[in-house]
Amino acid sequence: MASSANGVAKMNACMGNATGDLPPHAWSVITYNAGLHDCDTRERVLPDAYRANLKGIFEVMKHGASKAVFVTTTP
């Protein structure tokens, strides 16, 4: 687990697209949850950076999936 900044850095690899060869919409649905670690004092991400991180993550996800879903709660 880590902050959304880590998610941005590793999103291509997590989707199986480290080489950039993943065809568009290779995944049917991708769900993503981020934010809990961004509030942690050790990994703090300020709101503007958090917003930019989520946008960057979504840009990668929307290429790789037919549907990208952000989950806004953590169990």
Side-chain angles (χ1 to χ4, degrees):
M1 302 295 168
S3 72
S4 60
N6 188 57
V8 170
K10 296 183 178 175
M11 183 52 61
N12 277 322
C14 288
M15 287 182 45
N17 197 25
T19 63
D21 294 333
L22 189 72
H25 306 293
W27 298 99
S28 297
V29 176
I30 297 174
T31 60
Y32 188 81
N33 178 337
L36 188 59
H37 287 267
D38 295 80
C39 298
D40 185 1
T41 56
R42 291 171 288 145
E43 298 180 86
R44 172 121 15 235
V45 175
L46 297 175
D48 287 342
Y50 179 67
R51 195 170 8 266
N53 290 343
L54 291 184
K55 184 177 180 183
I57 289 166
F58 181 72
E59 289 301 314
V60 173
M61 285 179 17
K62 77 177 188 181
H63 172 77
S66 296
K67 187 67 101 175
V69 180
F70 281 90
V71 179
T72 59
T73 60
T74 300

